[in-house]
Amino acid sequence: MNFALVSFAFNGGLYFERQVLFKTNVEGLVRGDIVVVKGKGKKKRKALGVFVKYVQENRYPEKEPGVLLKKARTNTLRKTMKKRIRLFEDIQVSDSICKRYRGRFNGNEGLSDKEVRVKIIRNLSVAAYRIPPKKNIRKNVKCYFFGNMIIVLKGNEVINIKRHDIKVKWIRPKLLTEIAEQQIKAKKATGATAALKKKK
């Protein structure tokens, strides 16, 4: 029986970095693999997490760890990403935000407004969500971190998008980004058509 550190990426539909130790017999996992785990509590619920690394011993012997059951199937990830994309399907993105996106982030200069909106919705669906300090909290404002990008939402509208120097430590598997992009492009299947509408 080995032990593994798992980073929880899906928690209430948002990304939080929280690494937890699990026992497991599953071999061959690599950093970034998405896994199915089962908690140790009375309800013993299953959840998705991101594999970080194997460890040789229980770092917290006073606590009984949960169990890492298996690597998640791609079909499971597709279903999960559909739910996350639906969280943002009504997000409004103005023309000025699209212009700012093209000007501030390399490689996006030639994108149309529609293509920029698709990328913003994709980024939100796999972004890290950080709760700001209480003194900086504004009503209905949330910040989502994607690489060196901060996407600021107020209600269902993107009110700012900017670069930052904070190193985001969340493990964000490339597979999730690819799945999210595929599903948004196939918007008839995801029901995400509203996400591509611009704010007038």
Side-chain angles (χ1 to χ4, degrees):
M1 179 69 70
N2 292 319
F3 295 94
L5 275 179
V6 173
S7 171
F8 278 91
F10 299 96
N11 186 348
L14 302 171
Y15 266 74
F16 294 91
E17 174 70 354
R18 184 169 63 90
Q19 293 189 4
V20 180
L21 190 74
F22 289 86
K23 56 186 178 183
T24 186
N25 285 321
V26 180
E27 298 179 348
L29 295 172
V30 297
R31 183 181 177 90
D33 281 346
I34 301 180
V35 293
V36 179
V37 298
K38 184 169 68 173
K40 61 183 183 300
K42 293 181 180 180
K43 296 183 179 180
K44 295 184 178 179
R45 292 177 177 173
K46 292 181 181 179
L48 290 177
V50 184
F51 176 78
V52 179
K53 63 180 179 180
Y54 290 107
V55 293
Q56 297 300 315
E57 58 184 14
N58 186 352
R59 299 180 178 181
Y60 313 100
E62 69 280 4
K63 297 181 180 179
E64 177 64 24
V67 181
L68 189 161
L69 300 172
K70 59 184 178 181
K71 183 177 177 179
R73 296 179 179 179
T74 304
N75 188 46
T76 301
L77 303 181
R78 289 197 182 102
K79 290 179 179 178
T80 302
M81 292 314 300
K82 278 185 180 181
K83 292 179 181 178
R84 284 189 57 82
I85 290 168
R86 288 192 185 110
L87 291 174
F88 303 105
E89 65 183 2
D90 293 324
I91 293 298
Q92 301 295 314
V93 184
S94 67
D95 292 344
S96 62
I97 292 293
C98 291
K99 183 178 180 180
R100 193 174 302 173
Y101 187 97
R102 285 190 290 266
R104 292 184 178 179
F105 300 97
N106 296 334
N108 297 290
E109 296 82 0
L111 297 183
S112 67
D113 285 359
K114 184 175 181 179
E115 289 171 326
V116 169
R117 291 184 182 100
V118 167
K119 293 193 77 170
I120 288 175
I121 301 303
R122 180 207 67 182
N123 294 355
L124 283 168
S125 70
V126 295
Y129 172 65
R130 176 174 293 179
I131 301 174
K134 288 185 177 180
K135 64 180 181 179
N136 294 330
I137 290 179
R138 289 188 291 164
K139 190 174 182 180
N140 296 327
V141 172
K142 294 181 179 179
C143 297
Y144 293 84
F145 290 71
F146 181 85
N148 66 343
M149 180 186 302
I150 303 177
I151 304 172
V152 184
L153 298 185
K154 184 174 183 180
N156 70 336
E157 180 185 351
V158 178
I159 62 172
N160 198 3
I161 189 163
K162 54 188 178 181
R163 298 175 66 91
H164 71 94
D165 297 325
I166 302 170
K167 184 178 180 181
V168 178
K169 297 181 180 179
W170 288 270
I171 300 171
R172 183 175 47 251
K174 185 178 179 181
L175 178 60
L176 286 185
T177 305
E178 292 172 351
I179 290 173
E181 189 161 5
Q182 291 168 4
Q183 291 184 345
I184 293 171
K185 286 182 177 179
K187 51 188 177 296
K188 288 184 180 178
T190 64
T193 52
L196 305 181
K197 296 179 181 178
K198 70 178 181 179
K199 183 180 183 296
K200 295 181 180 180

